[in-house]
Amino acid sequence: MNHMKSVLFLMVVAMLLLSACGGGSAATSVPEQPGDATEVPATDAPASEKKVVTFSWTQEFTSLSPLYSTGWFTAVTQQFWNCWAWNYDENNEPYPYLVTEMPSFENGGISEDGLTITLHLRDDIKWSDNEPITSEDFRFSWAMNIDPKNIVSSTYPEDLVTSIDTPDAQTVVLHFDTPSVAWQSLFTGIVPAHILQPVYDAEGTLDNAEWNNNPSVGCGPYNFAEWESGSYARFVRNDNYFDAPAKIDEIFIRFVPDDTAQTTALVAGDADLGAFIPYSEVPRLKEAGVEIMTQPSGFNEGIFLQVSEDFSHPAMLDVNVRKAVAMSIDFDSFNQDVNLGLVKTPGSFWDALPYYNDPPVEPYPYDPEGAKALLDAAGWVDSNEDGTRDKDGVEFIIQHGATTREVRQELQAVAQQQLADVGIELEILNFDADLFFATYADAGPTYSGELDLQEWSDTPSGFPDPDIYYWLCSEVPSDDNPSGTNSFYICDEELDALIQEQASQLDPAERQETVSKINQIFHDKVYWIGAWQDPDVWAVSSRLTGVKFSGVTPFFNITEWDIK
Amino acid sequence: MVRYIVKRLFQGLPLLLVISITLFLLMMNIGDPIATMGGRTITRQSDRERLTRQLGLDKPISVQYLYWLIGNDWTKVDSDGDGIPDNYGTRHGILRGDFGTSLVTRKPVTELIGERIPNTLLLMVASEVVTVFFALLFGIYSALRQYSVMDNIMTALLFIAYSMPIFFVSLMSMYIFAVLFKKWGLPYLPTVGMFDPQVGKTPWQIFIHMILPVFSLSVTYFAAYSRYIRSTMLEVLSQDYVRTARSKGLPRRQVVYIHALKNAALPIVTVIGLDLPFLLGGAVVTERIFAWPGMGRLFLDHVSRSDLPVVMGILMLVATAVVVFQIITDIIYAWLDPRIRFD
Amino acid sequence: MNNQTPTLSELADDLITPPLTLWQLGWLRFRRHKMALFGGVILILLFIFAFGGAFLYTEKYANFNDTSQRLLAPSAEHPFGTDSIGRDILARTIYGGQISLFIGLVSVIIETILGIIIGALAGYYGGVIDAILMRITEAMLNIPTIFLLIVMAKFFGGNVPEIEIAGRVFSGSVIVIIVIIGATSWMYLARIVRAEFLSLKENEFILAARATGTSNSQIIFYHILPNTVAPIIVSSTLSVANAILAEAYISFLGLGVMPPTATWGNMLESSAKYLDSAPWLWFFPGMLILLTVLSINFIGDGMRDALDPRSRTI
């Protein structure tokens, strides 16, 4: 014992002695001063001629399986190694990919009553292990999605399909109870039955299938190679791909959670592609020769107004007051100055869908004097001269809530001042997204009706389809309906009927008419105020060629991308 | 001694239990994990209800805690949503080594944590070594020359380093050594990640990618350690036995290195020992800025989505490590210092 | 280590120096600590800046934005330049400074109260109370502070209405940040206080007080606590610096004080992406945090040297 003790003592003393006497010479052995370091990172071309591109993503994907994935980054990753029934081009128009043609009334793909949709599969499509892709894969993908034993991310719109027939290997027949426009969002990614059926049979669920995070078999132009959590993922060219092979050999995805660090990486040439670039980063990127490409993907940043007898500020129940609020905020200047003129103020929730935003709805112009006149006429005047308008002893103070995204907070600050100028006091609140969107049952601020103005970026569900559903009366949250999504508490019978009507109109022309009516109601009753268009913003290295994006399936032409 | 260890272990277990209950209650109320599962769009009503049930989030907190602690394979749960419990659960509980499954990725928590531990330890241990090494140099030097010009200059520099927020140091060093150096045509360092994909995960690549984060971390911790070492040395140097040794006319070197250092080593080693388990937790801010795939980032990514199993897993792992290291440090301390008796 | 019996050499010192109280002695020593004095001067200047500046600019001006005037470099009109929506940075650093200093001071008051109560109770009563309180302290120390801060910031971050103090409206998140910083930092102080109590409570004067029937609370607050003031002051001073840094960290992670209420921390956060294009955005708040933390650390260091009863250097 004593002996051990002295040995340990000696070791400690020796360590201290060494470090004390080491002095300056020791400094060279430790990478303390990066500036003095002579090492040069290997940025020269690699020894082999392998073409590798690096994509920088600010969020890691969750699961790779189309069934379990949540979030945008996972969905776009599927473009590399998985396949959708149909893809969308740079104009966000669908074109057949696994099917021979898009089903329609004309070609009989959609039955007259809209209750049956028939897909004809190409006969040359195959998985990366050379197994053919058949109607069974489609049926299996659907069945797994709605199976209660699988904790999938979303069962919509698969749960609208009542059954699927597979008369032969190339024919998939979908049956519906009611016609639904959501069919276009089906089969956004499929899973291989020949790999996963045995797993399901053995385990009773696909939740723990190894394939989910290590999809050895896929059907896209690239094969999944590896994924190191928090660090990177690699995809290599699929030599068994059934279409024209990709030109680039490998896609390397690096997860960079910080916007500033991502820009620095793009500027330094450590990344070739970045997504979700904040507008404030654009000048720095352009200066470094990085190209900025925008692609409408249906999203618009907007202010959702809560109009509820129970929860809203009484002033907000008056449509003219809501109009005045819209006219008091100078969105155009904000977009010109803060968003650097890269985006415009959308007048419509369907701004990214010109076909449905027809005739195009213009935003309310910035007109503080007009707003004051409207407020005066509505009886909201500053009777006690405290700077804020009031009526019947109620001060005009409303709440504006948003997540903690910076540009939102900037708009809030600007809006606060501009509304103060017309005599409306705006209280600003910020929440993390998981709090902001927490349910009525969890007393989340939006769904509990605490916010008169709610700001986030949203899209018609199933873009490029114009469908919406939040404003349905059946979505209003209550004790009996704790998961309702109508945080605006708007139950407008006319609007409700139109929203229900359009959801089953499979004929585009009829649909256009209905959506136009909804669009006009939104504008006239001021249920939604557009702040700025929110397209996908990509930063693309100048060494990439052939780059195109779609707002739905961003990497639809990834096989044509190349390195200069 | 054995009795002491057993006693400490029995004190440690209820401690961890209390920590876990407190954290569990905190975690239950920090947000709705399902709220962000729709990605960029809002989670649908039907999906919300289904997921809440399937993930067991509709159960009372006490039941959720019980399942988390001891599992649910002893009771029947409703797996298909008809409201009738049909099958035995599959969870074993953290006491049996099952940390649960991430709500976000559906991967086992042990796997998620296991992937990150090596990366975090690589970064943190390197920083700790660099930090301790330089802190010893500076700390001892400035203790021996208290209030000299050099001591004052170094102390001032240390305080500046200590007073800088770490994200400031990180972004600044990234900007200078990666962006400006490249612009000026100097040898420059990479910005983010662990390696360059075109070269691959070679030791050299990892080394040069580590320089900036290690530098940022060391700058901050270095100051605190140096000050501690300095004051410990000063305290020891003012002790009577050192004065006695000096007055006996022993050579200065011998006094400093044998008499003073020997006694200063004990508290210094103790402090380092007690800090070691915290290295497991990684560095939240630094890992985020340099996109280093460690525990700190795992924590941040999952806490922002209220992913209870992962967050609890990380916190309990660190807390357990701290308890164990405390006991180990106590034992070593007692072993080295004959004045301490446990009975 | 706590050598209570004075040695011969120390007695000799006492004979040479005239008898001084600890505070007189402390001030004498503190005065010689040049960096501590320097720190004190800087800190006074910073307080004058943050609170005197309010006479130069109104708070309305500090929040006044004009997006056409964004990211302007420092000029005569805007001495510190403007931020990303055209607000004057000088005015914002003034009002942000008030909040940052306020957070630093108040959270440390909470910390100190918690630390003293828990440390005193544990040290004085010992036994079961000590065991329970020290287990809680250990439990808190077992989790890295930043993790605790993040979890608690999210826990309390939900529904906090704006609050009005002295005619000014603050984001409710200011209170949240103060509470969580205070609640996650008292542990070290509690341990210091407990150790002091443990060593003091067996002293003759305490035993004498007890024998004469003095109540426990009187003994704690009138007899023991005044003797532990020196280490408490040193620790609390240094905690102010840590609290200001903690606010900056938590702001950087987007969980701090919510805009439009400015703090030095959240001004620095949003400026990170203008590192090279608009350096004045980070330079001024960054320098102010640095100067504040630096001067407080200097003062704390000087106090430690000055008030340490074992240190004999004058």
Side-chain angles (χ1 to χ4, degrees):
Chain A
M1 185 89 166
N2 233 346
H3 180 67
M4 284 285 287
K5 217 186 272 189
S6 35
V7 168
L8 214 126
F9 245 120
L10 277 175
M11 278 170 64
V12 172
V13 173
M15 186 185 89
L16 294 170
L17 267 172
L18 263 174
S19 45
C21 305
S25 66
T28 49
S29 65
V30 184
E32 171 72 3
Q33 295 295 331
D36 300 339
T38 44
E39 55 267 12
V40 184
T43 46
D44 328 283
S48 67
E49 298 81 39
K50 215 167 68 168
K51 292 179 181 172
V52 181
V53 288
T54 307
F55 294 175
S56 158
W57 285 0
T58 49
Q59 240 181 50
E60 185 164 3
F61 26 79
T62 48
S63 158
L64 280 166
S65 165
L67 296 174
Y68 293 92
S69 67
T70 56
W72 184 85
F73 283 101
T74 321
V76 301
T77 305
Q78 287 166 21
Q79 303 291 300
F80 305 144
W81 66 273
N82 204 289
C83 44
W84 291 24
W86 34 84
N87 272 348
Y88 295 80
D89 63 15
E90 69 269 34
N91 301 316
N92 296 333
E93 293 290 340
Y95 66 89
Y97 182 52
L98 297 183
V99 293
T100 53
E101 56 183 355
M102 294 298 293
S104 68
F105 285 118
E106 289 75 39
N107 63 22
I110 304 178
S111 66
E112 281 302 317
D113 57 4
L115 296 179
T116 310
I117 292 177
T118 310
L119 310 179
H120 297 284
L121 306 186
R122 279 164 60 169
D123 54 8
D124 60 341
I125 49 179
K126 56 183 183 177
W127 296 99
S128 58
D129 60 357
N130 270 330
E131 284 287 320
I133 299 173
T134 65
S135 54
E136 173 54 19
D137 290 309
F138 277 66
R139 195 204 58 78
F140 180 73
S141 300
W142 166 78
M144 286 297 104
N145 186 288
I146 57 165
D147 190 305
K149 297 250 167 52
N150 295 329
I151 312 179
V152 300
S153 51
S154 177
T155 52
Y156 181 89
E158 281 79 1
D159 53 2
L160 300 173
V161 178
T162 50
S163 64
I164 289 186
D165 296 334
T166 52
D168 63 58
Q170 263 73 49
T171 310
V172 184
V173 185
L174 314 174
H175 298 285
F176 295 83
D177 271 347
T178 49
S180 174
V181 294
W183 69 268
Q184 283 196 62
S185 303
L186 286 166
F187 304 116
T188 52
I190 53 173
V191 297
H194 67 285
I195 304 281
L196 290 176
Q197 183 74 59
V199 177
Y200 181 79
D201 292 342
E203 298 180 9
T205 171
L206 288 184
D207 288 355
N208 309 313
E210 205 211 329
W211 187 85
N212 294 344
N213 296 312
N214 182 15
S216 47
V217 173
C219 50
Y222 289 89
N223 282 335
F224 170 80
E226 58 177 326
W227 169 17
E228 196 178 299
S229 164
S231 183
Y232 68 92
R234 278 191 325 122
F235 296 88
V236 295
R237 185 170 44 213
N238 173 9
D239 291 321
N240 287 333
Y241 184 48
F242 55 82
D243 249 0
K247 292 175 180 158
I248 291 168
D249 297 281
E250 183 177 323
I251 296 173
F252 185 92
I253 295 171
R254 178 140 60 191
F255 308 117
V256 184
D258 186 82
D259 282 338
T260 315
Q262 170 172 279
T263 308
T264 310
L266 283 160
V267 167
D270 289 345
D272 297 304
L273 183 85
F276 279 119
I277 308 295
Y279 299 124
S280 52
E281 304 283 308
V282 167
R284 222 175 118 198
L285 290 165
K286 279 191 170 164
E287 196 189 320
V290 178
E291 197 185 343
I292 302 294
M293 295 174 78
T294 56
Q295 175 68 32
S297 58
F299 283 86
N300 288 297
E301 178 86 8
I303 297 172
F304 296 76
L305 287 86
Q306 179 190 272
V307 186
S308 154
E309 298 272 354
D310 298 332
F311 298 110
S312 299
H313 191 277
M316 299 303 284
L317 300 176
D318 184 336
V319 65
N320 284 325
V321 171
R322 298 202 293 271
K323 237 174 243 178
V325 169
M327 287 156 67
S328 305
I329 306 172
D330 188 0
F331 294 106
D332 285 342
S333 298
F334 187 87
N335 289 330
Q336 191 57 44
D337 297 333
V338 178
N339 288 333
L340 304 170
L342 293 161
V343 281
K344 295 197 165 52
T345 315
S348 157
F349 194 70
W350 291 268
D351 183 86
L353 288 165
Y355 180 75
Y356 293 100
N357 183 22
D358 182 37
V361 170
E362 290 299 318
Y364 285 100
Y366 175 56
D367 179 8
E369 293 312 312
K372 284 178 192 166
L374 280 172
L375 290 169
D376 287 340
W380 289 93
V381 287
D382 187 8
S383 63
N384 55 3
E385 297 191 350
D386 64 347
T388 305
R389 290 170 187 268
D390 53 85
K391 183 180 177 180
D392 307 330
V394 182
E395 293 284 319
F396 199 158
I397 303 172
I398 51 176
Q399 278 80 32
H400 182 179
T403 58
T404 51
R405 201 172 141 196
E406 228 166 278
V407 64
R408 269 176 205 145
Q409 295 177 330
E410 290 175 345
L411 178 68
Q412 283 179 312
V414 169
Q416 188 179 46
Q417 175 176 318
Q418 288 170 344
L419 286 172
D421 287 344
V422 299
I424 301 172
E425 188 180 326
L426 191 67
E427 271 182 23
I428 293 178
L429 295 153
N430 295 102
F431 307 88
D432 265 6
D434 56 349
L435 276 172
F436 188 67
F437 293 114
T439 53
Y440 175 87
D442 283 342
T446 30
Y447 293 117
S448 309
E450 289 168 23
L451 305 169
D452 297 297
L453 306 180
Q454 307 162 7
E455 181 182 342
W456 69 84
S457 174
D458 213 331
T459 173
S461 48
F463 177 85
D465 187 86
D467 190 23
I468 56 168
Y469 67 92
Y470 312 144
W471 288 270
L472 285 170
C473 295
S474 59
E475 291 282 342
V476 172
S478 67
D479 289 339
D480 299 328
N481 190 20
S483 301
T485 55
N486 190 340
S487 57
F488 332 112
Y489 287 85
I490 293 175
C491 179
D492 179 323
E493 278 171 25
E494 186 191 1
L495 185 64
D496 191 71
L498 287 169
I499 293 175
Q500 291 192 41
E501 189 183 347
Q502 59 84 32
S504 57
Q505 284 177 317
L506 296 181
D507 181 73
E510 286 174 19
R511 188 112 184 275
Q512 185 195 34
E513 205 175 306
T514 320
V515 174
S516 289
K517 279 185 204 158
I518 298 173
N519 200 5
Q520 200 59 44
I521 292 178
F522 264 57
H523 179 77
D524 293 342
K525 297 199 172 172
V526 203
Y527 287 151
W528 183 83
I529 305 172
W532 59 83
Q533 301 164 328
D534 191 15
D536 294 346
V537 182
W538 300 91
V540 186
S541 158
S542 54
R543 74 185 190 115
L544 289 182
T545 60
V547 177
K548 283 181 189 168
F549 294 106
S550 161
V552 194
T553 50
F555 299 106
F556 74 99
N557 81 329
I558 187 76
T559 53
E560 290 162 29
W561 292 27
D562 206 348
I563 296 174
K564 222 177 263 176
Chain B
M1 182 69 115
V2 176
R3 254 188 66 203
Y4 175 76
I5 297 174
V6 173
K7 191 180 147 209
R8 283 301 304 260
L9 278 173
F10 273 102
Q11 279 175 346
L13 285 178
L15 178 70
L16 290 173
L17 200 69
V18 170
I19 294 178
S20 71
I21 293 174
T22 317
L23 287 174
F24 204 89
L25 289 174
L26 278 175
M27 281 300 299
M28 286 306 290
N29 290 295
I30 65 168
D32 178 2
I34 295 174
T36 53
M37 280 190 188
R40 280 182 89 187
T41 51
I42 285 169
T43 315
R44 281 179 178 264
Q45 193 174 349
S46 54
D47 289 329
R48 260 182 200 271
E49 282 158 7
R50 179 181 52 83
L51 286 166
T52 305
R53 178 176 45 74
Q54 287 180 324
L55 296 171
L57 302 175
D58 53 347
K59 299 264 187 324
I61 292 181
S62 52
V63 174
Q64 288 193 44
Y65 178 76
L66 201 66
Y67 285 2
W68 175 82
L69 191 70
I70 59 170
N72 63 359
D73 51 355
W74 45 275
T75 181
K76 283 191 172 172
V77 290
D78 171 23
S79 64
D80 52 11
D82 55 8
I84 307 154
D86 42 38
N87 275 312
Y88 284 103
T90 51
R91 295 169 57 182
H92 301 295
I94 197 161
L95 289 181
R96 285 183 281 164
D98 176 10
F99 282 55
T101 311
S102 162
L103 302 179
V104 175
T105 66
R106 312 286 154 72
K107 281 189 193 177
V109 174
T110 35
E111 189 186 320
L112 286 171
I113 292 179
E115 285 171 341
R116 302 297 182 94
I117 283 183
N119 298 341
T120 272
L121 286 185
L122 183 65
L123 181 70
M124 299 305 281
V125 170
S127 311
E128 182 80 6
V129 168
V130 171
T131 305
V132 169
F133 177 80
F134 282 93
L136 279 172
L137 277 189
F138 285 107
I140 294 171
Y141 179 89
S142 66
L144 293 181
R145 292 173 177 72
Q146 197 188 10
Y147 300 137
S148 69
V149 180
M150 266 310 278
D151 177 38
N152 280 337
I153 292 176
M154 277 185 342
T155 306
L157 286 177
L158 283 181
F159 271 114
I160 292 175
Y162 186 63
S163 307
M164 284 215 271
I166 197 162
F167 55 84
F168 204 58
V169 185
S170 304
L171 289 166
M172 197 73 147
S173 58
M174 191 197 274
Y175 179 63
I176 294 173
F177 299 118
V179 180
L180 285 185
F181 271 43
K182 189 179 186 189
K183 218 184 258 176
W184 297 336
L186 293 168
Y188 60 94
L189 288 164
T191 49
V192 290
M194 265 182 97
F195 60 93
D196 183 334
Q198 287 182 309
V199 183
K201 200 172 179 175
T202 63
W204 173 249
Q205 275 293 318
I206 294 175
F207 174 73
I208 60 169
H209 278 80
M210 268 171 67
I211 294 175
L212 285 180
V214 166
F215 170 75
S216 307
L217 284 169
S218 305
V219 163
T220 328
Y221 297 143
F222 166 60
Y225 272 116
S226 303
R227 294 303 291 172
Y228 183 75
I229 291 168
R230 175 179 178 269
S231 63
T232 309
M233 277 300 285
L234 281 177
E235 192 174 311
V236 172
L237 285 174
S238 69
Q239 297 284 332
D240 297 327
Y241 56 84
V242 176
R243 292 187 191 204
T244 314
R246 259 191 208 158
S247 58
K248 278 199 304 191
L250 286 178
R252 189 179 150 77
R253 259 177 184 268
Q254 200 182 329
V255 172
V256 170
Y257 293 124
I258 306 297
H259 290 84
L261 262 185
K262 196 170 101 175
N263 287 284
L266 198 56
I268 294 171
V269 170
T270 309
V271 162
I272 294 171
L274 288 178
D275 275 353
L276 283 179
F278 286 104
L279 301 186
L280 260 183
V284 174
V285 176
T286 317
E287 286 180 6
R288 182 188 152 102
I289 292 176
F290 291 102
W292 190 267
M295 296 272 274
R297 256 186 74 200
L298 186 72
F299 178 82
L300 211 54
D301 285 351
H302 289 263
V303 85
S304 69
R305 297 185 195 176
S306 316
D307 192 350
L308 183 140
V310 177
V311 174
M312 285 298 289
I314 296 173
L315 292 178
M316 290 316 294
L317 188 72
V318 176
T320 311
V322 174
V323 169
V324 171
F325 267 73
Q326 269 167 355
I327 297 175
I328 294 174
T329 316
D330 274 358
I331 293 166
I332 293 179
Y333 204 103
W335 186 43
L336 290 176
D337 190 336
R339 281 173 298 178
I340 295 173
R341 291 272 176 278
F342 286 123
D343 29 60
Chain C
M1 264 179 279
N2 282 321
N3 199 345
Q4 296 293 337
T5 12
T7 61
L8 254 184
S9 59
E10 277 172 326
L11 285 174
D13 278 353
D14 285 341
L15 288 177
I16 300 159
T17 40
L20 295 170
T21 67
L22 181 66
W23 299 106
Q24 285 169 322
L25 196 64
W27 173 239
L28 266 181
R29 292 208 202 102
F30 188 80
R31 253 185 4 196
R32 297 198 177 194
H33 199 295
K34 289 194 193 64
M35 286 197 291
L37 278 185
F38 173 75
V41 172
I42 298 282
L43 196 64
I44 291 169
L45 288 177
L46 282 165
F47 267 88
I48 294 175
F49 171 80
F51 292 93
F55 295 104
L56 285 179
Y57 300 102
T58 62
E59 195 186 13
K60 193 165 191 292
Y61 180 72
N63 282 329
F64 177 80
N65 54 66
D66 178 356
T67 52
S68 67
Q69 302 290 307
R70 67 193 294 261
L71 301 178
L72 295 182
S75 64
E77 198 190 341
H78 300 289
F80 285 6
T82 63
D83 73 0
S84 58
I85 51 173
R87 291 177 292 209
D88 183 78
I89 291 181
L90 174 57
R92 283 182 81 68
T93 47
I94 289 170
Y95 284 91
Q98 292 179 4
I99 307 283
S100 285
L101 293 171
F102 181 73
I103 289 175
L105 291 172
V106 180
S107 59
V108 168
I109 291 175
I110 293 180
E111 171 195 336
T112 310
I113 292 172
L114 280 173
I116 288 176
I117 291 176
I118 292 171
L121 290 179
Y124 184 76
Y125 290 104
V128 182
I129 296 178
D130 182 35
I132 292 174
L133 290 177
M134 282 304 107
R135 288 299 88 74
I136 295 174
T137 313
E138 268 174 38
M140 296 285 288
L141 285 169
N142 274 9
I143 308 291
T145 317
I146 186 86
F147 288 5
L148 267 183
L149 276 175
I150 292 171
V151 172
M152 290 181 79
K154 287 209 68 175
F155 182 79
F156 291 109
N159 302 317
V160 250
E162 290 185 343
I163 43 156
E164 206 175 310
I165 301 172
R168 287 182 58 191
V169 178
F170 295 97
S171 162
S173 51
V174 173
I175 301 295
V176 170
I177 295 298
I178 287 174
V179 170
I180 64 173
I181 292 177
T184 52
S185 58
W186 52 268
M187 294 83 75
Y188 287 101
L189 185 66
R191 285 190 158 182
I192 293 171
V193 174
R194 174 177 174 270
E196 293 286 327
F197 268 71
L198 278 180
S199 71
L200 282 172
K201 75 172 178 186
E202 302 302 338
N203 276 5
E204 280 87 1
F205 70 98
I206 303 298
L207 295 176
R210 251 192 222 156
T212 55
T214 318
S215 73
N216 280 335
S217 63
Q218 264 187 325
I219 294 178
I220 291 178
F221 290 106
Y222 294 105
H223 296 277
I224 306 187
L225 199 56
N227 286 295
T228 62
V229 161
I232 291 175
I233 287 186
V234 173
S235 159
S236 301
T237 310
L238 293 169
S239 292
V240 176
N242 287 332
I244 289 173
L245 278 180
E247 189 268 320
Y249 284 133
I250 201 91
S251 289
F252 181 79
L253 297 172
L255 295 163
V257 173
M258 290 299 167
T261 304
T263 69
W264 289 339
N266 69 16
M267 289 178 75
L268 204 54
E269 181 235 340
S270 52
S271 67
K273 61 179 164 192
Y274 302 102
L275 204 63
D276 60 328
S277 58
W280 55 91
L281 282 188
W282 53 264
F283 182 78
F284 296 105
M287 281 309 284
L288 286 164
I289 292 183
L290 201 149
L291 281 176
T292 312
V293 176
L294 192 59
S295 55
I296 295 171
N297 281 335
F298 278 155
I299 294 170
D301 197 48
M303 281 182 167
R304 182 169 24 217
D305 286 3
L307 295 178
D308 184 354
R310 273 167 287 141
S311 158
R312 292 275 108 187
T313 358
I314 299 187

